[in-house]
Amino acid sequence: MNIVVCIKQVPDTETQIKIASDNKSIVTDDIKWVMNPYDEFGVEEALRLKEKFGGEVTVVGLGPKRVTESLRTALAMGADKAVLITDDALEGSDSLAVAKALAAAIKDLEYDLIFTGQRGVDDDMGVAGASLAELLGIPHVALAVKVEVAEDGKSVKVHRPVEGQTLVIESGLPVLITAQKGLNEPRYASLPGIMKAKKKPLDEKSLSDLGLDSAQFGQEGRKVKVLELTPPPERAAGKIVEGETPQEKAAELARLLHEEAKVI
Amino acid sequence: MDFDLKEEHRMIRDMCRDFSQEVIAPRAEEIDRKREYAYDIIARMGELGMMGIPISEEYGGSGGDWVGMQLCIEEISRGDVAFGALLDVTTSVVAQELDVFGTEDQKRTWLVPIAKGDKIGAFGLTEPDAGSDAGSIRTTARLEGREWVINGSKQFITNIGLDNASLIVTAAVTKNPEKGTRLISTFIVPKDAPGFILGNRYDKLGWHGSATHEVVFDNCRIPEENLLGDPARGFAQHLTVLQTGRISIAAMSVGVAQACLDESVRYSKERMQFGKPIGRFQAVQFKLADMSVAIELARNQYLKAAWLKDQGRRHTFEATVAKLFASEMVEKVASDAIQIHGGYGYIAEYPVSRYYKGAKVLQIVEGTSEVMRIILSRELGL
């Protein structure tokens, strides 16, 4: 069973995000970059399936050279090979453009399953996985918390929680599944794994290597444009309602809700 | 000149940091309070390959280097220094001594399970009357037929109380077979050897998750081939691996000090006094700033010493500086961390009291601060 896992590199969830002076992007200096946590669930699931069914796990990442580190982490966890799509023209691309580049890199690979995270924890768009499936012409099952591949390796049942119930979706292969929290507990990369990772193949592909037109990528190629980033509004200080007795306090509260907050 | 860690080093550091913060740190208070040996955590460290980072794959290790090992020890100690002590002894000292001085058979039999983490190694030099004056040990070994018979006792033996501790690499006095002069030789003593007696567990100030016991050899019999290395150079062999152990103590000190700083920064942002977080007061800010300076310098120094070792270069001065500076630094940093926490710092509910108790002994193990100064004086030609 050959499995592809798409990996995005995102700011560590503990990073304090600062908005850049253009009001459209974030300051990337001093950010610690990590593998998107939802993609990590995908890597773990792929490795478990490989342990059961054999085959190869290929991880595909996209972005600047630093993304190599996240791909190496996946290789250290046990993936077999990696592909990095890297090209200056990709800077500023939207989710659809990312899916196009991923599709171009994946279409010639042999795969039975593709995992992506259900969304990146940076932009929270949740679009790349579904778009990729569409571009590859394969089914897409979102938000998996359990993946059961049939013993014959020909179909898969995917569990997804819906409003306190579980929806079980069956699909033939190949299929793209997006992973979410609860699917598994990702392993730590072992020391021998880390040492072996540097010897595993990691191919770099530019847009022209993939036969893509760079005009469709980057800021210019965006279908979705970011107009402005704003920090969450600062919370105003609270107000303590004064009064001698509970009745007085209640009356004062009612007055404030009516006259100041204007909610009653 | 290049101060960047290699990619593999960053990956080792990040993985060990995640493991330490997610698996060890949440358990550290309980382990310390109950004085328990957390076999499940030790087993996972072994499975992840932490006990064999600088040992070649051929002998069960990961084929990494000493920079990687010491980074691992720093991060693990940041979660709980007792596990850093375990790594220092089983890998930096015991695995290295077997790796460097062992025969092929000894490596196959004893090193492989230790590098894999299936078994844990212990090391015995110190005796009741031989601490800093380690050359004055009295434990003896004499050859009877095809067996060595060992008599004596060893003090403060880290790891030996663990159920899966397999052996102690120990120093004993032998005689030059021709001249009859006094030699110090090194032996591999399996824990199940006849006459090996596991003595009392010490009630220590800190490091309660670390299995430190006394060991007694009462006509302890081991096969002749358990002599490790050159019988005339046992003491020199020990000093070789202890030098690496000193880099590990520096890494442990940095790990504990970093944990002190992490907690103090967090607390300074939360604790309100006089209407603002205490971190807004310069008295607190300056303490935190000084802590960060000391930690940065100590970290650079242990990494430099480890890097020199990986280059196969002499590093007596650098390792000694790292050990002395880092272990003195961490006691001050831990003390300041408690000061910043005020009364809360002195109670077990906050981790800085545990860090403080764990800091002091770093100035003693693998050579006291005083011995470090003696070594440095010699390096200065005095």
Side-chain angles (χ1 to χ4, degrees):
Chain A
M1 175 153 298
N2 294 313
I3 307 173
V4 172
V5 187
C6 299
I7 288 175
K8 184 175 194 181
Q9 200 180 42
V10 298
D12 188 16
T13 46
E14 287 183 18
T15 307
Q16 287 217 333
I17 299 295
K18 286 187 213 121
I19 295 171
S21 53
D22 67 358
N23 283 331
K24 289 181 182 175
S25 58
I26 59 168
V27 178
T28 53
D29 309 343
D30 294 333
I31 280 185
K32 187 180 176 230
W33 297 94
V34 298
M35 193 192 307
N36 178 36
Y38 294 110
D39 301 344
E40 225 176 322
F41 298 128
V43 173
E44 177 63 33
E45 200 63 19
L47 295 175
R48 289 183 190 190
L49 289 169
K50 176 187 139 177
E51 282 158 11
K52 189 169 172 193
F53 291 97
E56 277 198 334
V57 174
T58 306
V59 289
V60 181
L62 178 147
K65 294 269 188 188
R66 60 172 158 73
V67 178
T68 307
E69 280 195 29
S70 293
L71 293 174
R72 288 266 182 236
T73 301
L75 293 173
M77 288 168 76
D80 299 284
K81 51 190 187 182
V83 178
L84 172 64
I85 308 166
T86 187
D87 197 311
D88 291 344
L90 280 165
E91 182 67 30
S93 296
D94 65 8
S95 307
L96 182 60
V98 166
K100 279 183 194 163
L102 289 172
I106 293 169
K107 69 175 171 24
D108 295 329
L109 301 175
E110 282 183 26
Y111 59 86
D112 304 291
L113 275 171
I114 299 176
F115 284 101
T116 71
Q118 53 115 333
R119 61 189 163 89
V121 298
D122 48 0
D123 294 333
D124 273 346
M125 297 288 285
V127 175
S131 308
L132 173 59
E134 182 64 25
L135 292 167
L136 291 171
I138 61 171
H140 153 245
V141 187
L143 298 162
V145 290
K146 190 173 176 187
V147 172
E148 296 173 293
V149 174
E151 289 300 324
D152 64 4
K154 295 217 160 72
S155 65
V156 60
K157 281 182 185 164
V158 177
H159 294 233
R160 176 205 299 173
V162 279
E163 301 289 336
Q165 307 287 319
T166 300
L167 183 65
V168 183
I169 302 162
E170 189 168 4
S171 169
L173 302 181
V175 60
L176 184 145
I177 299 171
T178 72
Q180 72 160 317
K181 193 173 164 62
L183 179 60
N184 52 47
E185 181 85 20
R187 69 194 63 190
Y188 295 100
S190 72
L191 263 307
I194 289 171
M195 301 311 295
K196 284 189 194 109
K198 62 182 173 187
K199 294 174 199 142
K200 290 181 177 175
L202 194 156
D203 282 346
E204 289 190 11
K205 305 265 190 199
S206 67
L207 288 174
S208 63
D209 291 339
L210 297 172
L212 296 168
D213 173 11
S214 57
Q216 292 186 8
F217 295 87
Q219 287 294 347
E220 295 307 308
R222 287 188 78 100
K223 307 280 186 212
V224 178
K225 294 204 193 297
V226 176
L227 300 180
E228 193 185 10
L229 288 181
T230 50
E234 279 203 36
R235 272 199 291 175
K239 186 173 245 178
I240 293 171
V241 178
E242 304 283 351
E244 292 292 318
T245 64
Q247 287 82 355
E248 270 183 38
K249 286 184 185 173
E252 175 63 7
L253 178 62
R255 189 191 67 78
L256 287 171
L257 289 173
H258 183 62
E259 291 176 14
E260 285 194 14
K262 296 190 166 56
V263 292
I264 55 171
Chain B
M1 187 162 192
D2 185 358
F3 275 102
D4 272 328
L5 293 175
K6 287 190 209 162
E7 187 176 52
E8 72 198 50
H9 293 141
R10 289 199 298 275
M11 287 170 75
I12 291 171
R13 181 196 59 195
D14 291 351
M15 184 279 282
C16 293
R17 180 176 298 170
D18 289 346
F19 181 85
S20 185
Q21 295 305 311
E22 292 163 9
V23 178
I24 297 179
R27 296 262 303 277
E29 187 275 332
E30 188 186 5
I31 289 168
D32 200 67
R33 176 165 41 84
K34 294 186 174 166
R35 289 158 156 67
E36 72 179 8
Y37 303 153
Y39 288 106
D40 59 327
I41 291 178
I42 296 168
R44 286 189 72 183
M45 289 167 64
E47 284 160 17
L48 287 170
M50 291 183 195
M51 281 75 157
I53 295 176
I55 307 298
S56 68
E57 287 172 67
E58 192 187 354
Y59 297 114
S62 308
D65 58 17
W66 287 101
V67 168
M69 185 71 223
Q70 308 297 7
L71 285 166
C72 169
I73 288 179
E74 180 195 331
E75 292 300 336
I76 294 301
S77 302
R78 194 168 161 186
D80 184 343
V81 69
F83 296 94
L86 183 147
L87 286 172
D88 166 35
V89 173
T90 199
T91 306
S92 302
V93 177
V94 175
Q96 185 186 188
E97 190 152 359
L98 293 167
D99 192 31
V100 176
F101 302 105
T103 62
E104 182 62 25
D105 277 353
Q106 287 171 335
K107 290 191 202 185
R108 294 263 163 243
T109 309
W110 303 108
L111 174 58
V112 170
I114 285 178
K116 285 182 171 171
D118 296 337
K119 298 288 177 190
I120 304 295
F123 176 82
L125 178 59
T126 300
E127 296 181 0
D129 296 316
S132 290
D133 183 13
S136 69
I137 59 167
R138 290 183 196 164
T139 295
T140 59
R142 63 172 197 282
L143 199 56
E144 274 189 21
R146 304 295 311 276
E147 286 182 329
W148 290 99
V149 180
I150 304 179
N151 280 290
S153 68
K154 295 285 169 183
Q155 294 276 93
F156 315 132
I157 307 304
T158 302
N159 290 348
I160 196 69
L162 295 172
D163 293 342
N164 56 339
S166 56
L167 61 88
I168 176 169
V169 166
T170 197
V173 176
T174 56
K175 276 197 178 123
N176 183 317
E178 281 126 45
K179 298 180 200 154
T181 49
R182 184 181 192 270
L183 299 176
I184 292 180
S185 310
T186 300
F187 299 90
I188 302 165
V189 184
K191 218 175 144 184
D192 57 6
F196 174 96
I197 299 167
L198 181 65
N200 291 329
R201 179 179 182 176
Y202 295 100
D203 185 11
K204 306 187 294 284
L205 177 63
W207 293 24
H208 295 308
S210 179
T212 322
H213 288 244
E214 186 185 10
V215 163
V216 178
F217 304 113
D218 180 13
N219 283 316
C220 178
R221 289 176 174 273
I222 57 169
E224 187 181 11
E225 63 266 23
N226 281 21
L227 173 75
L228 178 60
D230 182 342
R233 297 196 42 83
F235 197 59
Q237 287 174 201
H238 279 347
L239 294 186
T240 302
V241 297
L242 279 177
Q243 188 153 295
T244 312
R246 285 169 189 155
I247 306 173
S248 297
I249 298 298
M252 289 161 67
S253 303
V254 172
V256 174
Q258 184 67 52
C260 288
L261 180 60
D262 296 344
E263 284 301 319
S264 299
V265 168
R266 179 168 29 233
Y267 186 78
S268 302
K269 288 179 180 170
E270 288 167 3
R271 172 70 169 170
M272 302 287 287
Q273 287 290 278
F274 304 104
K276 53 184 175 180
I278 60 168
R280 298 260 182 90
F281 294 102
Q282 278 195 338
V284 173
Q285 289 173 351
F286 285 13
K287 269 197 176 63
L288 294 169
D290 287 348
M291 286 160 114
S292 73
V293 169
I295 292 167
E296 178 73 6
L297 293 175
R299 182 179 288 125
N300 283 342
Q301 186 61 26
Y302 91 66
L303 286 171
K304 182 180 180 186
W307 178 81
L308 283 168
K309 177 165 176 64
D310 283 331
Q311 307 304 308
R313 286 161 59 179
R314 189 173 187 276
H315 54 283
T316 305
F317 178 78
E318 290 80 3
T320 310
V321 168
K323 199 300 185 173
L324 175 61
F325 181 77
S327 62
E328 298 281 315
M329 168 288 283
V330 67
E331 194 204 5
K332 172 80 166 77
V333 165
S335 173
D336 284 346
I338 291 190
Q339 198 67 23
I340 288 169
H341 282 69
Y344 290 112
Y346 200 64
I347 59 176
E349 200 179 323
Y350 286 79
V352 288
S353 64
R354 188 173 73 249
Y355 301 154
Y356 185 69
K357 289 190 287 182
K360 178 65 206 176
V361 77
L362 293 161
Q363 299 169 349
I364 297 168
V365 289
E366 317 288 51
T368 62
S369 291
E370 291 69 27
V371 167
M372 293 305 103
R373 289 186 171 93
I374 292 171
I375 294 170
L376 292 176
S377 305
R378 284 185 197 141
E379 290 289 305
L380 294 172
L382 299 168

